[in-house]
Amino acid sequence: MKELMRSSDPTSIAFAKALLQGEDIECFELDVHMSILEGSIGVLPRRLMVASRDHFRARVVLTDNDVDLGQ
C-alpha cells in the first residue's frame, strides 16, 4: 500500500474516494478514528491509501480532477 493523499478535510477525502471508485481503484482510509478522537478540529489529517500497483493511475485520476494531494 502507498499513501496517495493526506487531508484534514473529510469532503475532499470523500470526493477522492468517489473518483477512485468510479475508476475501479480500491482505496483505504487511515487515521479516521484518530481524527475523531482528537475532536475533529483538523489537527490530524486522514490518509488515503491505494495498492502500489494502482498508485500511478490513482494519482493521475485525482490530479486530473484538481484534487489537492496534500503532500
Side-chain angles (χ1 to χ4, degrees), residues 5 9-19 21 29 48:
M5 175 182 179
D9 179 10
T11 58
S12 63
I13 294 282
F15 179 58
K17 287 172 68 173
L19 289 171
Q21 288 173 353
E29 193 175 347
L48 195 60

Side-chain angles (χ1 to χ4, degrees), residues 18-33:
L19 289 171
L20 294 174
Q21 288 173 353
E23 297 291 328
D24 293 325
I25 299 173
E26 291 186 35
C27 59
F28 184 76
E29 193 175 347
L30 293 180
D31 303 323
V32 176
H33 299 294

